[in-house]
Amino acid sequence: MNVDGTPYRTIWLAEDGWAVEIIDQTRLPHAFVTRRLETLEDAARAITDMQVRGAPLIGATAAYGMALAMHADASDGSLGHAYDTLLGTRPTAVNLRWALDGMRETLATLSANTRAGSAYAAAVRVCDEDVDICSAIGDHGLGLIRDIHDTKEESETVNVLTHCNAGWLATVDWGTALAPIYKAHDAGIPVHVWVDETRPRNQGASLTAWELGQHGVPHTLIVDNAGGHLMQHGKVDLCITGTDRTTASGDVCNKIGTYLKALAADDTGVPFYVALPSPTIDWTLDDGVRDIPIEERDGAEVTRMSGRTGDGSVTSVAIAPDDCPAANYAFDVTPARLVSGLITERGVCAATREGLSNLFSDDKAVTT
Amino acid sequence: MNVDGTPYRTIWLAEDGWAVEIIDQTRLPHAFVTRRLETLEDAARAITDMQVRGAPLIGATAAYGMALAMHADASDGSLGHAYDTLLGTRPTAVNLRWALDGMRETLATLSANTRAGSAYAAAVRVCDEDVDICSAIGDHGLGLIRDIHDTKEESETVNVLTHCNAGWLATVDWGTALAPIYKAHDAGIPVHVWVDETRPRNQGASLTAWELGQHGVPHTLIVDNAGGHLMQHGKVDLCITGTDRTTASGDVCNKIGTYLKALAADDTGVPFYVALPSPTIDWTLDDGVRDIPIEERDGAEVTRMSGRTGDGSVTSVAIAPDDCPAANYAFDVTPARLVSGLITERGVCAATREGLSNLFSDDKAVTT
């Protein structure tokens, strides 16, 4: 999508045709900085340090990391080392393993002198496939927004609430939850986004607000506490969030606080949709609340906050008493009964086993 | 309650018998600073600058402000000026007008030479009455906590979730929502509090966590997004919040985000109680969502955050893109159907017109 009027992806091949460039997302929203990755170690560090984040983008960066490793040394040893190094960067990311397994499978059978070229081609393919998936999610979600707009006056705005960042910055382009919004905006439908700040890491305030602003999509930042009030007062037409993991029955594991917004949507009659690329479906799980382990992160993310001071430097400040105990659960699970529908690259379906199976019966056969 | 082992109120007469002392709450949690108020202007500034906050404490400070004015000049002109000055500090605070009207009524009929003494006596009475009300709320709420503890092993903890600050810092002592918790803790019932940080002004992180810590009550700070997850997983036995305004039908207007916690409690079968001194009941209102106007505050409270830097200074940092539009609704309304009961100074009742009328039929006759 656009940054200051120029179209960008989150990761791309440098002009020299071998190095890789990324947007350093740790610097957002205060500075737009791109970084050049030249080695396997650069790619691994970009993932570890969260310069890139979001499951699809992590997968894409890992694929390019394999290509950079093959560019330097295409031996079997180098291949194995690159695989292990990249897999260790974010142990819980499903897309990471998926992308790396695919790359290793492709490259292992090739002779060393063809590996680098094939690795770059495969990495490009991983990226392009992600863009295609997200674009398709956007097209299907666009239908939902258009349907709502059709019930309003031509000039009336469709108000969408989202949580955390499931935008193009989490993918290679378009995003998941934000893809329908970008498609609607680009199609001339007046759309406005309520952006939850999404404590504790504030991906809404620092990433979603930034990317919507750069692309010119009207938006308003709110605290995570505010969405229920907005829905009670008719200020939200539709909620769309992403998901990190979706059970076969349609339960959705997403950034902490998603469940609260789904409850408010259910209580006030606001449609609550979840956008997902099908790789996030875990066909082995049924009851998400019971079965999905929830990552607990450092309490310092709760007791501290990072931001820009008056002199332009970015610093972390303490917002709680010294030694205040804090708990930091990263995700929660929204039961399928609260989800109006799932927006996938193959269409919109009910958040039920049947709904998902109808769209993905072939995938399911393969993975279960 | 205790601060570093010493019992405090939030406002008290200085040792010299005429000046007034307060805790400067704008400095919490990073520094414990008391301030001496010697003039009407000092008292007005303490309210305006939010060195004191919370409806009961604002009322108490205004009462003392009248006494300070009478101490300096007990003329009719001074009385009228003090009333107008203090009433203008926080135009929407109901307790403020109530305390000031009572003071003016008492003082207007007296001769000037007896006004100062009567004003101090009346201010002391306002404070003592608030302490009595909060203590009674605590006693009634203690029963709820004791009942839950009785269903557990002796050593098992009762986990209470609260939102914002309805502790002793918002009143003269004890607090409203936290009064039952202090009573339970002091009675030896093992109690642990999940403290919502309560963006945007973070009264949970800066005030509730501080006052619980100072009094020695076990607690854990969480982001506002986390409560639903905790309730889904049986980690919350009871929610207790305060309220700024309660309708005759039991709808509760409280800090933004309260509604989301009530929804989660309802969805997971966790009891959700609201503690209130009866002056917060607005007998003229029925449908809170429809009829209670919600204050919108400066968006900078959303886009910025204040905290302590490494060198100990307190500063404000920007956490959103420059010029990011932000909306800042200060309160939301929790419909009575989501409230398990109301904890008042006269006992616990259903959040219904009948429940409130049974307890307060005499008051209602007076105020409607």
Side-chain angles (χ1 to χ4, degrees):
Chain A
M1 311 311 294
N2 288 347
V3 176
D4 199 16
T6 303
Y8 271 87
R9 286 184 174 188
T10 52
I11 189 166
W12 63 96
L13 210 53
E15 282 199 0
D16 57 25
W18 70 271
V20 177
E21 297 194 57
I22 59 165
I23 298 168
D24 182 352
Q25 300 192 24
T26 64
R27 303 295 301 279
L28 293 175
H30 307 300
F32 178 70
V33 175
T34 63
R35 286 197 184 279
R36 183 175 159 92
L37 311 179
E38 299 193 342
T39 65
L40 164 67
E41 288 69 29
D42 288 347
R45 199 176 312 112
I47 299 172
T48 308
D49 294 353
M50 298 182 78
Q51 292 169 359
V52 293
R53 25 68 59 192
L57 176 55
I58 288 172
T61 308
Y64 269 120
M66 293 288 273
L68 289 169
M70 294 302 96
H71 176 73
D73 172 1
S75 69
D76 284 358
S78 168
L79 180 59
H81 173 66
Y83 179 92
D84 293 341
T85 301
L86 290 163
L87 190 62
T89 51
R90 292 285 298 271
T92 57
V94 177
N95 287 52
L96 178 64
R97 179 179 285 275
W98 169 82
L100 287 169
D101 284 347
M103 293 293 287
R104 187 171 63 173
E105 201 174 315
T106 303
L107 300 176
T109 57
L110 301 177
S111 61
N113 64 344
T114 63
R115 277 179 180 162
S118 292
Y120 279 102
V124 168
R125 208 159 51 234
V126 164
C127 292
D128 287 347
E129 280 175 8
D130 181 63
V131 175
D132 289 345
I133 284 176
C134 291
S135 177
I137 289 170
D139 290 333
H140 294 300
L142 168 61
L144 297 171
I145 295 175
R146 197 188 295 280
D147 287 349
I148 292 169
H149 187 243
D150 286 347
T151 67
K152 299 185 172 229
E153 298 294 322
E154 185 64 29
S155 63
E156 259 188 295
T157 296
V158 178
N159 289 294
V160 184
L161 183 143
T162 191
H163 190 65
C164 197
N165 178 259
W168 72 274
L169 289 173
T171 64
V172 177
D173 206 352
W174 290 110
T176 55
L178 297 194
I181 292 165
Y182 286 122
K183 294 272 181 176
H185 176 79
D186 289 356
I189 299 173
V191 62
H192 164 263
V193 186
W194 295 107
V195 179
D196 274 2
E197 65 174 349
T198 321
R199 282 279 290 152
R201 292 181 61 87
N202 271 37
Q203 295 93 334
S206 58
L207 302 178
T208 300
W210 182 85
E211 65 166 89
L212 290 172
Q214 289 294 328
H215 197 74
V217 181
H219 62 283
T220 305
L221 183 65
I222 52 172
V223 293
D224 300 307
N225 283 322
H229 170 73
L230 295 173
M231 290 188 228
Q232 280 181 321
H233 290 271
K235 294 177 189 291
V236 181
D237 295 302
L238 173 69
C239 298
I240 312 179
T241 74
T243 167
D244 286 80
R245 201 161 168 187
T246 312
T247 69
S249 56
D251 291 346
V252 169
C253 180
N254 191 45
K255 189 57 38 78
I256 190 83
T258 303
Y259 167 53
L260 295 172
K261 296 306 149 62
L263 285 167
D266 184 59
D267 194 52
T268 56
V270 172
F272 187 93
Y273 282 86
V274 176
L276 60 135
S278 58
T280 76
I281 304 168
D282 186 336
W283 296 102
T284 67
L285 290 185
D286 182 51
D287 183 334
V289 174
R290 187 189 63 199
D291 295 335
I292 298 179
I294 300 296
E295 177 187 358
E296 284 190 63
R297 297 176 55 86
D298 188 350
E301 289 185 350
V302 177
T303 59
R304 306 190 65 84
M305 183 81 111
S306 174
R308 203 188 61 234
T309 61
D311 68 9
S313 64
V314 174
T315 191
S316 164
V317 296
I319 58 172
D322 286 342
D323 306 321
C324 181
N328 186 8
Y329 299 89
F331 303 95
D332 64 19
V333 173
T334 299
R337 65 184 152 83
L338 300 174
V339 179
S340 307
L342 302 172
I343 310 171
T344 79
E345 71 270 26
R346 294 199 189 166
V348 179
C349 71
T352 60
R353 183 174 290 277
E354 192 184 9
L356 281 169
S357 294
N358 285 347
L359 286 183
F360 296 100
S361 52
D362 48 343
D363 289 31
K364 192 186 162 191
V366 172
T367 56
T368 55
Chain B
M1 311 312 293
N2 288 347
V3 176
D4 199 17
T6 303
Y8 272 88
R9 286 185 174 187
T10 51
I11 187 165
W12 63 94
L13 209 53
E15 283 199 0
D16 57 25
W18 69 271
V20 177
E21 297 194 54
I22 59 165
I23 298 168
D24 182 351
Q25 300 192 23
T26 63
R27 303 293 301 277
L28 295 175
H30 307 299
F32 178 70
V33 175
T34 63
R35 287 197 185 279
R36 183 176 159 92
L37 312 179
E38 300 192 342
T39 64
L40 164 68
E41 287 68 31
D42 288 348
R45 197 177 311 113
I47 300 172
T48 309
D49 294 354
M50 298 182 79
Q51 292 168 359
V52 293
R53 26 67 61 191
L57 177 53
I58 288 172
T61 308
Y64 269 120
M66 293 288 273
L68 289 169
M70 294 304 95
H71 177 74
D73 172 1
S75 68
D76 284 359
S78 168
L79 180 59
H81 173 66
Y83 178 92
D84 292 341
T85 301
L86 290 162
L87 190 63
T89 51
R90 292 286 297 271
T92 58
V94 178
N95 287 52
L96 179 63
R97 178 180 285 275
W98 170 82
L100 287 171
D101 284 347
M103 293 293 286
R104 187 171 61 172
E105 202 174 315
T106 303
L107 301 176
T109 57
L110 301 177
S111 60
N113 64 344
T114 63
R115 275 179 181 162
S118 292
Y120 278 103
V124 169
R125 210 160 50 236
V126 164
C127 291
D128 287 347
E129 280 175 8
D130 181 63
V131 175
D132 289 345
I133 285 176
C134 291
S135 177
I137 289 171
D139 290 333
H140 294 300
L142 168 61
L144 298 171
I145 295 175
R146 198 188 295 280
D147 287 350
I148 291 169
H149 188 243
D150 286 347
T151 67
K152 301 185 171 226
E153 298 293 322
E154 187 63 28
S155 64
E156 257 186 295
T157 295
V158 178
N159 289 294
V160 184
L161 183 142
T162 192
H163 189 66
C164 196
N165 177 259
W168 71 275
L169 289 173
T171 64
V172 177
D173 206 352
W174 290 111
T176 55
L178 297 194
I181 292 164
Y182 287 122
K183 294 272 181 178
H185 177 79
D186 290 356
I189 299 172
V191 62
H192 164 263
V193 185
W194 295 108
V195 179
D196 275 1
E197 64 174 350
T198 321
R199 282 280 289 151
R201 291 181 61 86
N202 271 37
Q203 295 94 333
S206 57
L207 302 178
T208 300
W210 182 84
E211 64 165 89
L212 291 172
Q214 289 294 328
H215 197 74
V217 180
H219 62 281
T220 305
L221 183 65
I222 52 172
V223 293
D224 300 306
N225 283 323
H229 170 74
L230 294 173
M231 291 188 227
Q232 279 181 323
H233 290 271
K235 294 177 189 291
V236 181
D237 295 302
L238 173 68
C239 298
I240 312 180
T241 74
T243 166
D244 286 78
R245 201 162 170 187
T246 312
T247 69
S249 57
D251 291 346
V252 168
C253 180
N254 191 45
K255 189 56 39 77
I256 190 84
T258 303
Y259 167 53
L260 296 172
K261 296 306 149 63
L263 285 167
D266 183 60
D267 195 52
T268 56
V270 172
F272 187 92
Y273 282 86
V274 176
L276 61 135
S278 57
T280 76
I281 304 168
D282 187 336
W283 296 103
T284 67
L285 290 186
D286 182 51
D287 182 334
V289 174
R290 186 190 62 199
D291 295 335
I292 299 179
I294 301 296
E295 177 186 357
E296 284 190 64
R297 296 177 55 86
D298 188 350
E301 289 184 352
V302 177
T303 58
R304 306 189 66 83
M305 184 80 114
S306 174
R308 204 189 60 235
T309 61
D311 68 9
S313 63
V314 174
T315 192
S316 164
V317 295
I319 59 172
D322 287 341
D323 306 320
C324 180
N328 186 8
Y329 298 89
F331 303 95
D332 64 19
V333 173
T334 300
R337 66 185 152 83
L338 300 174
V339 179
S340 307
L342 302 173
I343 310 171
T344 79
E345 71 270 26
R346 294 199 189 166
V348 179
C349 70
T352 60
R353 183 174 290 276
E354 192 183 10
L356 282 170
S357 294
N358 286 345
L359 287 183
F360 295 100
S361 51
D362 48 342
D363 289 32
K364 192 186 163 193
V366 172
T367 56
T368 54

